[in-house]
Amino acid sequence: MKKIITLKRSLTEETESLLNQQITMEGISSAHYLAMASWCDRKGYDHSAKFLYHHSEEERTHMLKLVHYINDVGGHALQPKITPVKQQFNTLRAIFDSVLTQEINVTKSIYDLADHCLSIKDFGTFNFLQWFITEQREEEMIARRALELFDIIGEEGMGLYMIDQEIGKLAE
Ligand code: OFO
């Protein structure tokens, strides 16, 4: 068995720890999206369920991007501890309200991480984070679009059916 040796690296322990915290956040996001997808599936909101299942997968790929980056630069990416997530929701609107809140929280966390990297002149990690910054802008925009549908279409009558259909188109 190969001995693990610690080589010199530019990644600081603090940055490694912050990146590992971001891994946890992405893992929890993935679990949260999965729980919301499953709730929608059971309630017959098929398009929203598809949208959210897909998003759960995407969050997992974000987590893996971080895992590979940390290991590539000489750190140790840790499998995150996923705390239990909410499984029951009151309405479809509450789901998408929660999606937007979650995305805003993730954006803030990525910004804090980028700010930290700049402050210690870790331009490599700062550069790596640019992909996440762009991704968050898009994800927040889609979440806002989804929520707007509830006001534009209205939830009465066939409203929720139509909202579900339109949410399906947002993922295309
Ligand atoms: Fe990980 O992209 Fe949003 O949260």
Side-chain angles (χ1 to χ4, degrees), residues 11-26 62 66 69-70 105-130 132-133 136:
L11 185 73
T12 66
E13 273 181 25
E14 188 184 3
T15 307
E16 180 178 3
S17 162
L18 290 171
L19 287 167
N20 268 310
Q21 282 173 35
Q22 192 61 38
I23 286 181
T24 302
M25 198 165 196
E26 303 290 340
H62 301 170
L66 287 152
Y69 178 77
I70 295 174
N105 288 340
V106 172
T107 301
K108 186 173 180 320
S109 174
I110 297 281
Y111 284 4
D112 287 347
L113 197 43
D115 185 45
H116 159 80
C117 292
L118 270 189
S119 74
I120 60 162
K121 295 189 165 62
D122 181 349
F123 300 119
T125 306
F126 178 76
N127 183 47
F128 164 73
L129 291 172
Q130 300 312 299
F132 286 86
I133 290 172
Q136 283 309 120

Side-chain angles (χ1 to χ4, degrees), residues 26 29 33 55 59 62 102-103 106 132 135-136 139:
E26 303 290 340
S29 266
Y33 274 108
H55 213 114
E59 295 301 339
H62 301 170
Q102 179 168 314
E103 290 305 338
V106 172
F132 286 86
E135 179 73 7
Q136 283 309 120
E139 290 188 345

Side-chain angles (χ1 to χ4, degrees), residues 1-147:
M1 203 192 215
K2 263 205 281 182
K3 255 200 183 160
I4 296 177
I5 44 171
T6 309
L7 299 171
K8 285 184 193 162
R9 61 179 203 183
S10 53
L11 185 73
T12 66
E13 273 181 25
E14 188 184 3
T15 307
E16 180 178 3
S17 162
L18 290 171
L19 287 167
N20 268 310
Q21 282 173 35
Q22 192 61 38
I23 286 181
T24 302
M25 198 165 196
E26 303 290 340
I28 290 173
S29 266
S30 178
H32 191 204
Y33 274 108
L34 182 58
M36 293 189 287
S38 181
W39 185 91
C40 288
D41 209 351
R42 294 280 325 274
K43 295 282 180 187
Y45 297 124
D46 295 349
H47 297 277
S48 301
K50 194 172 163 205
F51 172 91
L52 294 162
Y53 278 130
H54 177 74
H55 213 114
S56 172
E57 286 292 328
E58 277 200 352
E59 295 301 339
R60 184 175 155 74
T61 63
H62 301 170
M63 184 180 76
L64 288 173
K65 257 184 198 293
L66 287 152
V67 166
H68 293 308
Y69 178 77
I70 295 174
N71 289 334
D72 284 351
V73 294
H76 184 187
L78 305 173
Q79 189 273 323
K81 182 164 159 199
I82 308 295
T83 47
V85 295
K86 189 173 165 168
Q87 307 278 357
Q88 298 301 333
F89 305 89
N90 292 329
T91 60
L92 188 62
R93 185 184 193 126
I95 293 251
F96 283 93
D97 201 40
S98 162
V99 165
L100 182 57
T101 302
Q102 179 168 314
E103 290 305 338
I104 290 171
N105 288 340
V106 172
T107 301
K108 186 173 180 320
S109 174
I110 297 281
Y111 284 4
D112 287 347
L113 197 43
D115 185 45
H116 159 80
C117 292
L118 270 189
S119 74
I120 60 162
K121 295 189 165 62
D122 181 349
F123 300 119
T125 306
F126 178 76
N127 183 47
F128 164 73
L129 291 172
Q130 300 312 299
W131 183 90
F132 286 86
I133 290 172
T134 306
E135 179 73 7
Q136 283 309 120
R137 188 181 61 215
E138 190 178 319
E139 290 188 345
E140 273 193 35
M141 182 197 75
I142 291 175
R144 260 191 302 279
R145 287 276 144 77
L147 258 188

Side-chain angles (χ1 to χ4, degrees), residues 130-171:
Q130 300 312 299
W131 183 90
F132 286 86
I133 290 172
T134 306
E135 179 73 7
Q136 283 309 120
R137 188 181 61 215
E138 190 178 319
E139 290 188 345
E140 273 193 35
M141 182 197 75
I142 291 175
R144 260 191 302 279
R145 287 276 144 77
L147 258 188
E148 280 164 12
L149 292 170
F150 290 84
D151 291 330
I152 294 167
I153 299 175
E155 296 178 50
E156 301 75 35
M158 294 288 284
L160 279 174
Y161 173 81
M162 287 168 63
I163 290 168
D164 184 48
Q165 301 270 323
E166 292 299 317
I167 285 173
K169 293 180 195 162
L170 288 176

